[in-house]
Amino acid sequence: LEEAAFQLQQIFRIDISIALNILGIESMRAGHCRAAFTCFKLAADRGYSKAQFNVGLCYEHGRGTEKDLEKAGFYYCQAASSHHPMAQYRYGRYLLQHGPGSCWDRQHKAVALLERAAGAGITEAQAYLGVFYMRGLQPKQKRGLKYLLQAANSGDAQSRYHVGVCYEQGLGVQRNLAEALRHYRQSAAAGNGQAQERLRA
């Protein structure tokens, strides 16, 4: 009986959190940012990862509350620890740009989070890692190209442009101008200005 009561409590707690998060989303859509933040925060403090992510967004962009990157990082971290892929991406970026601790430790942890998010299909994480590996202090061009291709195949026109650059310049792949042109054309057709400029050049 005690076990059944505990299970009911857990279900009730989760259901309330889901309802609060949905109410927060609807409030945000209606332009009631402060009410949305309150709903997200109540659900987040109950441990609901989707709401924790939403609280992080509110703090990052100053919607419904004061802008506070440290608090945004805290809530992204909470959600990321519950395997929320978009929170892993956001927290990874936060660590690289604002996180505490030594640069090497932050970078190591951030890259692990970004790779998990990329593996879960988060296009933004794939694109970010692609550029990160291409431009890092110790560039890993083949790995960068792998992530740029993943993002490009998910429809990211900017990553498609970067893939074209890789083929044009032989970064992580054998130089191939015909393949570079193909990628530039696809990126330009999707509205990417840099690819359009490159084609004109």
Side-chain angles (χ1 to χ4, degrees):
L1 196 59
E2 279 180 29
E3 178 63 24
F6 176 75
Q7 293 298 330
L8 278 172
Q9 275 183 320
Q10 293 297 101
I11 290 166
F12 182 70
R13 199 181 109 246
I14 292 165
D15 283 351
I16 289 291
S17 299
I18 292 169
L20 283 166
N21 192 57
I22 291 168
L23 190 58
I25 291 166
E26 292 305 316
S27 297
M28 193 62 81
R29 282 187 185 140
H32 306 300
C33 298
R34 195 166 290 282
F37 174 75
T38 301
C39 292
F40 292 146
K41 184 88 167 50
L42 286 167
D45 292 343
R46 290 169 166 268
Y48 188 51
S49 64
K50 289 182 180 178
Q52 290 166 340
F53 174 71
N54 288 331
V55 171
L57 285 175
C58 288
Y59 276 124
E60 184 179 359
H61 300 291
R63 298 193 70 196
T65 186
E66 291 291 314
K67 190 173 182 175
D68 188 325
L69 292 179
E70 199 172 311
K71 285 182 181 173
F74 172 80
Y75 280 97
Y76 286 148
C77 178
Q78 297 286 303
S81 67
S82 295
H83 311 290
H84 188 291
M86 198 63 182
Q88 291 171 335
Y89 162 66
R90 293 272 182 173
Y91 187 51
R93 280 190 60 173
Y94 168 80
L95 285 174
L96 286 174
Q97 295 166 5
H98 311 286
S102 77
C103 184
W104 192 89
D105 286 342
R106 274 190 342 225
Q107 185 170 315
H108 185 71
K109 187 174 181 180
V111 168
L113 286 164
L114 289 165
E115 287 190 342
R116 270 183 243 141
I122 302 298
T123 304
E124 293 92 330
Q126 294 163 347
Y128 194 91
L129 276 173
V131 173
F132 175 82
Y133 281 127
M134 285 291 176
R135 296 183 177 165
L137 293 173
Q138 297 175 313
K140 296 178 181 172
Q141 294 172 343
K142 284 188 179 179
R143 185 174 268 186
L145 179 59
K146 177 187 100 167
Y147 284 113
L148 287 173
L149 276 168
Q150 286 178 3
N153 292 336
S154 295
D156 185 56
Q158 184 66 30
S159 293
R160 182 70 67 193
Y161 164 75
H162 286 304
V163 171
V165 171
C166 290
Y167 275 102
E168 184 181 1
Q169 297 179 7
L171 303 172
V173 69
Q174 191 168 344
R175 195 164 181 259
N176 184 329
L177 294 181
E179 194 66 9
L181 273 172
R182 185 174 76 81
H183 288 287
Y184 287 146
R185 284 189 186 115
Q186 285 181 12
S187 181
N192 184 275
Q194 286 177 293
Q196 291 163 357
E197 284 292 318
R198 198 75 204 99
L199 284 171
R200 280 195 286 273

